[in-house]
Amino acid sequence: MLVSAASAHEMTPTYPKLTPSAYDGIYKTTMKMFNKRVDIQYYEVGVFDKDFNTVPFVTSYSVLKIDYLSHVTFDIYIRENDVAKAVYVCSKSKIRIEDIRRTAVSSRICSKFKND
């Protein structure tokens, strides 16, 4: 029997809520990511509809650098016209080209926007 431990990154909250920001017609949520993977430092963030088509959004960086056992907090901004389309905010680990020769598994974590 072969047993191995799997670890991935974490993103919270699980059900973020979009609220009006300080800018007219723009909604915002704050997310936090924690990196539990020693082999990965970069994570790409995206916002998607129910069919996983991309929804336009803005954040400081679409690819975040997070060192092992570190966390980062970031804001996501979405236009009011796109709020109804936005269902998921996801993060995906990015494997660097120089690490491709090693066996590496990409992980994807999604949170679902809370619609009241």
Side-chain angles (χ1 to χ4, degrees), residues 15-18 29 47 78 86-89 111-115:
Y15 298 100
K17 185 174 182 178
L18 288 164
T29 193
V47 175
I78 300 175
V87 176
Y88 303 103
V89 55
S111 294
K112 186 173 184 181
F113 287 112
K114 185 177 184 178
N115 296 323

Side-chain angles (χ1 to χ4, degrees), residues 18-36:
L18 288 164
T19 56
S21 72
Y23 307 102
D24 288 337
I26 305 293
Y27 280 66
K28 169 189 166 184
T29 193
T30 301
M31 302 297 296
K32 185 174 184 177
M33 283 181 48
F34 179 69
N35 181 12
K36 295 193 309 184

Side-chain angles (χ1 to χ4, degrees), residues 11 17 22 24 29-30 35 63 67 75 92-93 110 114 116:
M11 187 167 63
K17 185 174 182 178
D24 288 337
T29 193
T30 301
N35 181 12
V63 176
D67 292 324
D75 294 326
K92 181 179 179 183
S93 59
C110 294
K114 185 177 184 178
D116 291 336

Side-chain angles (χ1 to χ4, degrees), residues 30-113:
T30 301
M31 302 297 296
K32 185 174 184 177
M33 283 181 48
F34 179 69
N35 181 12
K36 295 193 309 184
R37 294 189 60 177
V38 70
D39 60 331
I40 302 290
Q41 288 184 317
Y42 294 93
Y43 294 89
E44 182 176 22
V45 176
V47 175
F48 303 93
D49 68 10
K50 64 180 177 63
D51 298 318
F52 282 92
N53 297 310
T54 58
V55 173
F57 75 101
V58 173
T59 190
S60 297
Y61 300 97
S62 61
V63 176
L64 304 168
K65 182 178 190 287
I66 311 171
D67 292 324
Y68 176 59
L69 297 180
S70 295
H71 74 271
V72 66
T73 301
F74 59 98
D75 294 326
I76 292 178
Y77 297 91
I78 300 175
R79 292 180 304 194
E80 185 174 14
N81 296 346
D82 294 323
V83 167
K85 295 181 219 170
V87 176
Y88 303 103
V89 55
C90 300
S91 57
K92 181 179 179 183
S93 59
K94 302 298 283 181
I95 301 168
R96 295 184 315 186
I97 194 76
E98 58 265 18
D99 294 336
I100 211 124
R101 64 185 173 278
R102 296 186 309 174
T103 303
V105 176
S106 179
S107 57
R108 183 177 190 174
I109 305 266
C110 294
S111 294
K112 186 173 184 181
F113 287 112

